Amino acid sequence: MTPGCRPAAGKLAEKTRECTLLHQRLDAAATAIAALHHDNTRLREELTAVGGRVIPLWTTSTSRN
């Protein structure tokens, strides 16, 4: 490798590590979201089976803040 390429190679390695870390974080978030979605679906099915219903904590006319 020529001396002028070393800084670029270092930057590439740094960006590759950053990309890998971000990809791992994205995978972890996607796994958590999928698990929560699955749990939510199952809980709604169980609630429906016993005649219950889901009541929203807020409506479009109320503020979340």
Side-chain angles (χ1 to χ4, degrees):
M1 181 181 306
T2 61
C5 292
R6 287 196 178 120
K11 287 182 181 179
L12 177 60
E14 179 184 338
K15 291 299 181 183
T16 300
R17 283 189 296 274
E18 182 182 348
C19 185
T20 299
L21 176 62
L22 290 172
H23 191 271
Q24 290 170 344
R25 292 177 66 188
L26 179 62
D27 283 347
T31 299
I33 291 167
L36 289 170
H37 175 72
H38 178 263
D39 291 349
N40 186 19
T41 300
R42 295 289 299 157
L43 288 169
R44 286 176 182 263
E45 288 172 356
E46 289 177 25
L47 186 61
T48 300
V50 296
R53 64 186 180 108
V54 176
I55 301 171
L57 297 176
W58 56 82
T59 64
T60 55
S61 62
T62 61
S63 173
R64 290 184 174 185
N65 295 332

